Amino acid sequence: MRRRERTLIARYVHQAVAPAPPLPPVAATDAVAAFCAQLAAAPRLNRAALRALLVAHGAGVRLGPAEEPLRALAHISYYGDLGVMRTLGYDPEAVVRRARA
């Protein structure tokens, strides 16, 4: 991902999630890296569509319902961060330990 795209992603995630204390800011999470990884793993057509939506949103275009895939990806990327999960009281490592016991 180019630096400009990563900046757009960080801005979009911040707008979509709007974290407030005690949740960490987007920059203190792995949300941008997770978003980029999801894009990289997506089929080519989906990846192109999501990137186009991201650029359009960054340019101020109102996307309406077409924005929903971006919003979902932003939420998954942010709330999938281990620090965010722990802040919300979820410890995935404890769940794995219980499953193995």
Side-chain angles (χ1 to χ4, degrees), residues 6-25:
R6 293 178 69 82
T7 300
L8 284 173
I9 290 168
R11 193 173 301 143
Y12 184 80
V13 172
H14 176 76
Q15 290 173 351
V17 177
L23 293 174

Side-chain angles (χ1 to χ4, degrees), residues 46-98:
N46 295 22
R47 182 172 51 245
L50 287 167
R51 288 173 106 169
L53 288 170
L54 186 62
V55 170
H57 182 273
V61 175
R62 293 186 183 254
L63 301 173
E67 188 177 344
E68 197 52 40
L70 272 182
R71 185 182 316 281
L73 188 54
H75 282 261
I76 290 168
S77 299
Y78 180 80
Y79 289 107
D81 177 80
L82 187 58
V84 172
M85 284 191 274
R86 286 187 176 142
T87 299
L88 295 172
Y90 180 73
D91 184 0
E93 294 162 344
V95 172
V96 171
R97 283 191 302 275
R98 284 193 307 270

